[in-house]
Amino acid sequence: MDFELIFTREKLDVLFPQERTDAFFDALFGGAEDGSYDISVDFVKGNAKEAQFAFVLRQRPGKCLACNLTYGLPQVFMRHPIINLKGFVESVARELQTDPGAIKYELGPTREQSREIHTIPIYIRFN
């Protein structure tokens, strides 16, 4: 299966729309303008047993993407209804024509790619 052909930038932007960033910060702070980063999802790699994606946190202009702001996010993203990780994973399963009930998923720890970009790995395992 050619994951790169399925999970294009356009498809990922549909599965995890950019508007979720503002909705997330609006829920947290009462205003999207207080958010210090934008959230998107990138495809990383995949095979018959696992697909790996990543939440990508990009610092907004004039804001600070401090590690202390992002290291606790895997636990928050796992259960936050606006991030809707379960819904994202179910959408991935549908794109792969796989039963959503036959997969398991988890988030890895936050990784600092640079001062401006942090990532949170998303591991989706197929049973």
Side-chain angles (χ1 to χ4, degrees), residues 1-83:
M1 182 172 301
D2 199 344
F3 288 86
E4 289 87 4
L5 291 178
I6 298 170
F7 298 108
T8 62
R9 175 81 267 144
E10 292 79 18
K11 175 60 72 178
L12 290 169
D13 288 344
V14 168
L15 297 178
F16 192 88
Q18 183 61 40
E19 296 81 35
R20 284 196 197 168
T21 297
D22 286 343
F24 177 70
F25 287 119
D26 191 45
L28 283 181
F29 302 128
E33 65 280 352
D34 292 326
S36 58
Y37 50 86
D38 290 311
I39 307 166
S40 62
V41 174
D42 283 356
F43 172 75
V44 178
K45 62 183 177 179
N47 58 44
K49 294 183 180 185
E50 178 180 273
Q52 185 179 344
F53 295 83
F55 284 114
V56 179
L57 315 174
R58 286 185 178 79
Q59 179 176 290
R60 289 180 170 177
K63 301 287 186 172
C64 177
L65 184 61
C67 298
N68 62 348
L69 293 175
T70 64
Y71 283 152
L73 285 177
Q75 295 83 359
V76 173
F77 281 13
M78 276 298 287
R79 60 184 182 272
H80 201 285
I82 291 173
I83 297 300

Side-chain angles (χ1 to χ4, degrees), residues 7 15 86-96:
F7 298 108
L15 297 178
K86 181 180 181 193
F88 173 77
V89 170
E90 289 172 350
S91 295
V92 167
R94 283 191 295 277
E95 291 295 324
L96 296 173

